[in-house]
Amino acid sequence: MTQQGSSGWTSGPGTPRPGSSRLIWGFAAGFVLLLIGAVAVVRMSGGADDPAGDGAAPGESAAVRLAHRRAPFEEAVLALAQAPGAHYDDGVFSVQLTLFGDYTGSVEARGGVYPVIRTDGVTSVQLPASSVNALQPSATETTATWVKAGPATAEYLGVSFGDVPDDPSDLAQRVLDDLNDPATDFTAADSTTTPTASTNGDDEGMLTVTTPSGPVRVSASSPHRLMSVPVLSAGSGTDDTADTDSTAGGAADPVSFARPAAASATATPVQLTAAQVDEAFEQIVKRARTTAKTVDPGVVLDLEQQAAINCTEYSCSVSARITAGARTAGSDSEVTSGTVRASLTADIEVDGKTGAGKCTAVTTMKLDKSKTLKCTTTSAGPELRSALSRAKAQAEAKSRAMNGARVPYTVPYGGTVDVRAVARVNVKTLVRLMLSRQDLLDDLLEQAEPQTEPQAEPEGQTGTQPGNGTQPGTTTAPGTTGGAEPAPQPSGSGVVVPQPDPDDEDPVGCADLEPAGATPHGTTGWKNFVIRPTGGSDQGAAGGRTEVGEACFEKPVVSGHPTAPTGNPAGWLDGQKTGAAAFPSASGNGLARCHLVPAVLGGPNEASTGNLVTCWQAGININSTAKSRPVMKVSMRDFEKHANAWIRSSGAANTVTVYEVTPVYRSAKSTIPTHFSMRFRSWDRDTHQLKRIRWISVPNVTLDEKGKTQSLAN
């Protein structure tokens, strides 16, 4: 059985039978997948050819009918996983979530509704002054202020910030886990769990299946989209990644339900449009500009003694001796080691007049250590001198009335001193990062425009092509012949994505999904790289740019090995020039050779194979802790660890997984991508049931020495 296709299964009259040839063309990197041929639709009225009304042909087995009944829901889940954004509303959080994981919205707690944002993995909530002062007793806040949403804040509000999905792909996996629950029954024709057409006011008809967490509804017509989902907390279902058979890779995702599922649902689409995500970014940027003084309740600052204020007629100085300690939320300390930031703000009062002057000081100090914060201001000088002049005149008048008796005079002064722990927020850098992601979203959507017709597969496409510079086991992309100039077409087009055939009841393995031109990967899998020569001298060891790198895995999984790249990928020479301009004073240029199939999953280290692509090291290949280059929360390395943990887990024991990375380029001549579209999908070998999906888009950008966003794409 060899069946290839993009996300979504085909069904209905005219569907090819097992053993026939069928291709579904789509964009592996885009948000919109174009399906050529019949699309999976559960029809609500049976006919002579389809008495059950489920899209399966007469006489089909129960397994095939189940696959067809599931198809609209799996298509909707796959679409959500690759969406530019999603609306998440669980009755506590109501947020607009972007594909990069940033979000804006509100949280309802303690009788109020408060603004909330997540930027680059850090969540903040804007609370009223009374709540801020309760969380930070040394503060004297008078207005609503942003507060870091750590364990202390969550405990105070009585919410779990981890309930909000990481991104649309994470939400899609939660829905998929619920659909895969054994209690979710797609089979009984007279059961309430059977997908049935329904209407909600003026909304289009919907298909509904009842899961243990509540109903999941998708649009009745293709392309199927999720219309409503129940409350699905992080890792709903069973923990399939906790037990791994390899030490390689990262830790498994936690699995838990934070609260009971909600039964209510609406017909508001879960998937956001590009315009809605753009509006979300506008609000994220607007809110991010106001987060400079975000309070960190995870640190408690204790004043060892009352703050001292000393003034002369020209200035006032303030000092406070403080100790930084960790706040305990539940049974865990929120901050356990390292340094924290403390802020002192003093408002000076002169002769009963408030607002006479102000000074601030910010310092970095070690946890459980004491330090004196000091600040000085001359802004109170004019008011001090004016008050002294008034007091002196009054004393002189009184002295004259007392025949020249000595009359002392004084000017009372004082003030309020606010001491608080503050989060590390570089607002300028954060805003630049959010704006760059907003721009990248526009680029992604432009590059994801679907083609109108499938392209024919050229003769001699697969294998080693004489004169085209490819290596054994690679594929020349459609539209390329030998060393000739590539035909102009959208980047990423023509990529064939393998997946199981729902009409075939035989167990599926990597051999059934293997594309022409692939080479063995371990004892059971395969790997494949699509390479396109672009002309010019910077073609790298593979003889062209790589447009897709993919591999298939089933037990036993190929062993991983250390990352030790050799040779230069396409665009390396051009990338060195960009790197030198971005980091003129650095010893290196910040470049890396990014693996498409990761080394931890046995991906080759040689550039000649097409597995290496020119990229930035900090921000895309790995996360950076350098102060000068704060970067994306999720890097290629993070995604690779997540995939490796799943593929090697006991939960994947009877699955087949296809791992795909698609570099997306600006034009047909580009050799360095704008971003990398990364995803893996895993199916049960026997039932063909979709078990796991993850999709992210990682931009090929970093922050240069000046803190500006720098794309490496050419």
Side-chain angles (χ1 to χ4, degrees):
M1 177 190 74
T2 299
Q3 178 59 43
Q4 298 175 311
S6 61
S7 68
W9 285 330
T10 62
S11 65
T15 298
R17 307 306 307 146
S20 64
S21 177
R22 173 174 66 193
L23 291 180
I24 307 176
W25 295 84
F27 289 89
F31 297 112
V32 182
L33 293 175
L34 179 67
L35 305 186
I36 305 300
V39 181
V41 178
V42 177
R43 292 185 301 249
M44 293 305 107
S45 58
D49 295 332
D50 184 19
D54 56 13
E60 289 284 20
S61 68
V64 172
R65 290 197 177 279
L66 174 62
H68 282 281
R69 289 180 181 273
R70 286 179 54 90
F73 295 90
E74 290 194 355
E75 180 185 329
V77 166
L78 286 165
L80 175 61
Q82 299 181 105
H87 176 65
Y88 178 80
D89 190 340
D90 60 12
V92 176
F93 293 93
S94 179
V95 301
Q96 309 297 305
L97 178 66
T98 77
L99 79 160
F100 300 115
D102 309 304
Y103 70 67
T104 182
S106 62
V107 56
E108 185 174 351
R110 295 180 71 95
V113 178
Y114 310 112
V116 63
I117 59 170
R118 185 169 70 198
T119 53
D120 210 31
V122 178
T123 306
S124 300
V125 57
Q126 192 176 58
L127 297 178
S130 58
S131 295
V132 175
N133 296 334
L135 284 165
Q136 193 89 119
S138 58
T140 57
E141 189 57 70
T142 59
T143 60
T145 300
W146 288 103
V147 175
K148 185 178 179 180
T153 306
E155 184 180 61
Y156 174 79
L157 294 176
V159 301
S160 173
F161 289 97
D163 285 349
V164 180
D166 292 340
D167 49 36
S169 178
D170 183 30
L171 178 57
Q173 182 63 53
R174 296 186 192 185
V175 177
L176 182 61
D177 288 343
D178 216 35
L179 292 173
N180 287 340
D181 192 289
T184 302
D185 184 8
F186 290 87
T187 60
D190 58 351
S191 170
T192 57
T193 59
T194 301
T196 56
S198 62
T199 58
N200 190 330
D202 295 330
D203 295 305
E204 67 170 312
M206 292 185 288
L207 310 178
T208 303
V209 65
T210 301
T211 72
S213 299
V216 173
R217 296 182 173 92
V218 303
S219 57
S221 59
S222 183
H224 299 287
R225 296 293 181 262
L226 281 165
M227 300 302 292
S228 68
V229 297
V231 175
L232 300 166
S233 298
S236 58
T238 58
D239 185 355
D240 293 320
T241 63
D243 175 25
T244 65
D245 55 19
S246 170
T247 57
D253 290 339
V255 178
S256 64
F257 277 96
R259 59 181 173 279
S264 61
T266 67
T268 302
V270 177
Q271 197 168 315
L272 296 180
T273 66
Q276 289 172 323
V277 179
D278 199 58
E279 291 176 2
F281 266 119
E282 294 286 350
Q283 187 175 77
I284 290 172
V285 169
K286 183 178 180 180
R287 289 180 169 180
R289 294 184 189 277
T290 65
T291 60
K293 296 183 179 180
T294 299
V295 173
D296 185 356
V299 178
V300 177
L301 300 181
D302 292 325
L303 284 169
E304 294 186 1
Q305 57 188 23
Q306 188 175 0
I309 302 177
N310 295 293
C311 295
T312 69
E313 61 181 304
Y314 298 104
S315 65
C316 291
S317 61
V318 182
S319 64
R321 184 76 175 173
I322 62 173
T323 300
R327 178 189 296 274
T328 299
S331 59
D332 299 319
S333 292
E334 190 161 336
V335 181
T336 58
S337 63
T339 59
V340 298
R341 296 182 74 215
S343 169
L344 178 149
T345 301
D347 286 303
I348 307 300
E349 178 181 314
V350 176
D351 200 18
K353 183 178 180 180
T354 59
K358 189 173 187 176
C359 69
T360 61
V362 178
T363 188
T364 300
M365 59 187 298
K366 294 182 178 180
L367 198 65
D368 296 325
K369 299 294 183 180
S370 297
K371 195 169 188 178
T372 300
L373 275 72
K374 298 180 180 180
C375 67
T376 302
T377 177
T378 58
S379 60
E383 186 59 40
L384 284 164
R385 291 190 290 274
S386 177
L388 282 169
S389 178
R390 292 194 302 271
K392 182 179 180 180
Q394 293 172 358
E396 288 175 343
K398 189 173 182 180
S399 176
R400 288 193 296 270
M402 298 172 63
N403 297 318
R406 185 180 179 86
V407 178
Y409 62 93
T410 59
V411 173
Y413 62 84
T416 59
V417 178
D418 178 292
V419 178
R420 65 181 65 185
V422 293
R424 299 175 184 272
V425 180
N426 187 325
V427 172
K428 183 180 293 187
T429 298
L430 183 60
V431 168
R432 283 175 177 171
L433 194 58
M434 294 300 105
L435 289 173
S436 71
R437 291 181 186 178
Q438 187 176 15
D439 292 339
L440 178 62
L441 174 66
D442 295 336
D443 292 341
L444 294 180
L445 293 171
E446 288 178 5
Q447 293 164 337
E449 288 296 324
Q451 62 196 79
T452 56
E453 296 180 358
Q455 298 179 3
E457 187 172 339
E459 291 292 330
Q461 172 189 338
T462 59
T464 304
Q465 300 293 316
N468 70 3
T470 62
Q471 305 298 315
T474 62
T475 301
T476 305
T480 302
T481 55
E485 189 75 9
Q489 58 185 355
S491 170
S493 63
V495 176
V496 180
V497 184
Q499 72 176 38
D501 179 0
D503 292 321
D504 195 328
E505 297 182 65
D506 295 331
V508 63
C510 284
D512 303 301
L513 304 176
E514 183 174 340
T519 57
H521 193 51
T523 59
T524 58
W526 51 258
K527 58 183 178 291
N528 183 50
F529 305 99
V530 177
I531 298 172
R532 182 196 299 277
T534 63
S537 59
D538 198 8
Q539 297 297 290
R545 74 187 190 189
T546 305
E547 297 201 336
V548 67
E550 58 184 350
C552 186
F553 302 92
E554 58 180 302
K555 303 289 186 178
V557 179
V558 62
S559 299
H561 53 73
T563 299
T566 60
N568 293 332
W572 186 257
L573 300 178
D574 200 20
Q576 287 183 315
K577 299 175 184 177
T578 303
F583 304 102
S585 63
S587 57
N589 53 27
L591 297 189
R593 299 167 177 85
C594 282
H595 286 66
L596 300 183
V597 178
V600 73
L601 284 171
N605 281 322
E606 297 77 24
S608 59
T609 63
N611 193 39
L612 304 183
V613 177
T614 301
C615 68
W616 289 117
Q617 172 72 350
I620 175 167
N621 194 29
I622 62 172
N623 282 327
S624 171
T625 57
K627 294 181 180 179
S628 60
R629 285 182 282 171
V631 290
M632 288 285 291
K633 176 68 175 177
V634 178
S635 67
M636 294 183 77
R637 185 73 54 84
D638 296 321
F639 186 86
E640 292 164 2
K641 288 181 178 180
H642 180 85
N644 182 65
W646 160 252
I647 290 171
R648 299 186 188 279
S649 71
S650 60
N654 193 47
T655 64
V656 56
T657 300
V658 176
Y659 182 100
E660 303 156 327
V661 179
T662 303
V664 181
Y665 301 87
R666 283 177 176 165
S667 70
K669 294 185 177 181
S670 298
T671 54
I672 305 176
T674 61
H675 68 282
F676 294 79
S677 175
M678 308 181 70
R679 74 172 176 176
F680 70 86
R681 294 164 299 154
S682 187
W683 299 271
D684 185 283
R685 296 183 74 254
D686 296 325
T687 67
H688 303 183
Q689 184 181 89
L690 185 65
K691 298 284 289 185
R692 206 80 167 181
I693 180 170
R694 186 74 175 140
W695 183 88
I696 65 170
S697 181
V698 185
N700 198 0
V701 299
T702 191
L703 295 182
D704 62 19
E705 288 185 356
K706 297 181 180 179
K708 294 183 178 180
T709 301
Q710 181 67 55
S711 173
L712 192 59
N714 59 7

